[in-house]
Amino acid sequence: MNWTINVNRDQLWQLQDRVFPGFAASGERRVHGIQAPELPSHVQPEIDAGKISFYQGKVRDSLIFPRRILMITSDRVSAFDRILDLVPLKGEVLNRISSWWFRQTEDIIPNHIISRPGGRSLEVRPAEVLPVEVVVRGFLTGSAWRDYLKGDAVSGISLPGGMKENQEFDEPLITPSTKAEIGDHDEPVSREEIIRRGLVEESLWNEVEAAAQKLYARGRELAAARGLILVDTKYEFGLVDGKLILVDEIHTPDSSRYWFSESYASDFQAGRAQKKLDKEYLRRWLMDQGFQGQGTPPEIPAAVKLELAWKYISAYQQICGEEFEPDFSDIQAEYENIRSLM
């Protein structure tokens, strides 16, 4: 079946003069080497008084209130655990994909969303986030394949011999990792080690695993309806009033790997690379420049960033089955939504 992508690459390129000025708002400052907007003047005194706290991660900025959080998905892009640059419209695309998936899975497990006040932002409930990320893998690919070639277990799971790259597992694997600080690498960890180290209690971890498997199954089901395979994905969980909820993001191109289902079997049998719907484009470009996370990253040309923006937009349309209509709002306007929460 031929799935139509509605986005027009040429139109996006024609919009670049409208897109890129959004990165040049007045009063910018640098965050992890990347420019970011200033907080509104009415917010800083609240932070200084300890009434609000402000946290900036690799991609998301969070203003933390006593009973709610304004979480803004920035246009920052990372690869090889390094924040590298800004990609037009990326924050809005990722926020809208996550919002769509949260709606599709809220019958499986509650999530942290209260409202979506802007294109890049979510108003969410504060949660005690578990210190372990949950990666569910349906296929032997990526870092799992590299570990397999070295004869290593995958997060403590020993795999049978004779498997091939991109082969589907009989049952999806849960391969957790500890959460690293910005600039460091996440470390794989086994179920047994999680419990032994007291990172998560065994009964709660059982609940986490069950929810992750159900979320992945739903993701596979809905992706298949769009001609895609959800290959692997990352989930984060937290506790609110002692109850497990889903937090952060879900099934975005940043946290997931997608392949096109119509070509999977033939590519696998021929030993060819799978046709992907994710941000491998940037990783491949960086590797072609000789950069794999060490040393000074190369400057990313505007043409590469705009092509990556097109890939994010087309991913939204392919995954969600909806045409993407950007609002082109200045990211500074997202921060102004803070006033309504105070």
Side-chain angles (χ1 to χ4, degrees), residues 163-200:
M163 294 191 70
K164 299 179 180 179
E165 185 177 12
N166 300 335
Q167 182 174 339
E168 186 173 6
F169 296 122
D170 293 336
E171 298 289 340
L173 303 183
I174 293 182
T175 60
S177 64
T178 57
K179 298 171 66 173
E181 296 295 327
I182 293 172
D184 293 332
H185 295 278
D186 297 338
E187 294 292 337
V189 61
S190 68
R191 165 191 169 87
E192 291 73 22
E193 191 173 0
I194 290 170
I195 296 168
R196 180 181 58 80
R197 290 168 55 184
L199 296 176
V200 182

Side-chain angles (χ1 to χ4, degrees), residues 43 63 102 121 151 185 194 209 218 249 274 298 317 331 336:
V43 172
L63 272 145
F102 278 129
S121 57
H185 295 278
I194 290 170
E209 288 187 328
R218 178 67 56 81
E249 63 182 327
Q274 292 292 323
Q317 296 181 154
I331 194 170
E336 293 299 330

Side-chain angles (χ1 to χ4, degrees), residues 261-272 274:
S261 54
E262 64 181 3
S263 57
Y264 167 73
S266 58
D267 286 343
F268 176 69
Q269 292 298 329
R272 293 190 295 263
Q274 292 292 323

Side-chain angles (χ1 to χ4, degrees), residues 20-37:
F20 278 103
F23 297 152
S26 61
E28 288 179 338
R29 57 200 170 91
R30 302 190 71 80
V31 179
H32 309 306
I34 300 299
Q35 303 223 343

Side-chain angles (χ1 to χ4, degrees), residues 221-259:
E221 174 191 356
L222 296 182
R226 296 294 302 157
L228 298 169
I229 299 172
L230 178 61
V231 179
D232 47 43
T233 190
K234 172 184 71 68
Y235 303 115
E236 292 199 44
F237 296 91
L239 296 174
V240 172
D241 298 327
K243 295 182 179 180
L244 189 68
I245 69 166
L246 185 65
V247 302
D248 195 51
E249 63 182 327
I250 174 174
H251 297 166
T252 71
D254 272 15
S255 65
S256 312
R257 195 188 320 259
Y258 288 93
W259 294 336

